[in-house]
Amino acid sequence: MKKIEAIIQPYKIDEVKAALMAIGIDGMTIGEVRGHGRQKGHREVYRGQEYNVDLLPKVKVEMVVPDSRSDEVIQALSTAARTGKIGDGKIFIYDVAEAIRIRNGDRGETAL
């Protein structure tokens, strides 16, 4: 099993969810996060004062999928989240040793 974690632009979340649901992935965790990569933020002016915005709003999408579906999920996710501009985000892939459904004790891929 693979855990796929993606940090994307907030306005792309609806497209990403639709793309994942279209390929049959409906289990995901989504959270609002803040951070920066190579962008390193930007400067803004508010009421005449200039200040540095260095932690930008992003969305983190996490899911665990069977090994056999990971490439398909990564492709759908990256295609839906891509704008071609700096700040599109990153995808991280981790190996998952075990998954257990709390409700009934299912283990492995059946717990997904």
Side-chain angles (χ1 to χ4, degrees):
M1 293 175 290
K2 301 285 186 197
K3 178 180 182 184
I4 299 171
E5 187 175 286
I7 310 294
I8 63 170
Q9 293 284 6
Y11 63 88
K12 296 299 269 182
I13 190 61
D14 289 332
E15 289 177 55
V16 168
K17 283 186 343 188
L20 293 172
M21 289 180 172
I23 62 169
I25 303 296
D26 52 3
M28 63 188 87
T29 301
I30 299 172
E32 295 178 7
V33 296
R34 299 174 65 77
H36 70 80
R38 291 185 180 154
Q39 287 175 277
K40 298 199 177 47
H42 59 276
R43 299 189 75 61
E44 287 189 6
V45 177
Y46 179 71
R47 293 188 177 184
Q49 294 285 45
E50 189 173 297
Y51 64 99
N52 193 30
V53 178
D54 59 352
L55 294 175
L56 303 171
K58 302 287 184 180
V59 172
K60 181 190 275 190
V61 181
E62 300 173 282
M63 68 210 76
V64 177
V65 299
D67 287 332
S68 60
R69 303 236 24 224
S70 63
D71 289 337
E72 175 188 16
V73 170
I74 293 163
Q75 181 62 42
L77 208 163
S78 61
T79 300
R82 182 178 296 126
T83 67
K85 298 178 184 162
I86 191 165
D88 275 354
K90 298 264 190 312
I91 298 173
F92 303 99
I93 298 106
Y94 308 93
D95 286 323
V96 174
E98 184 69 90
I100 302 166
R101 179 176 286 130
I102 294 172
R103 177 175 46 92
N104 59 14
D106 284 351
R107 291 178 164 263
E109 289 186 9
T110 57
L112 302 179

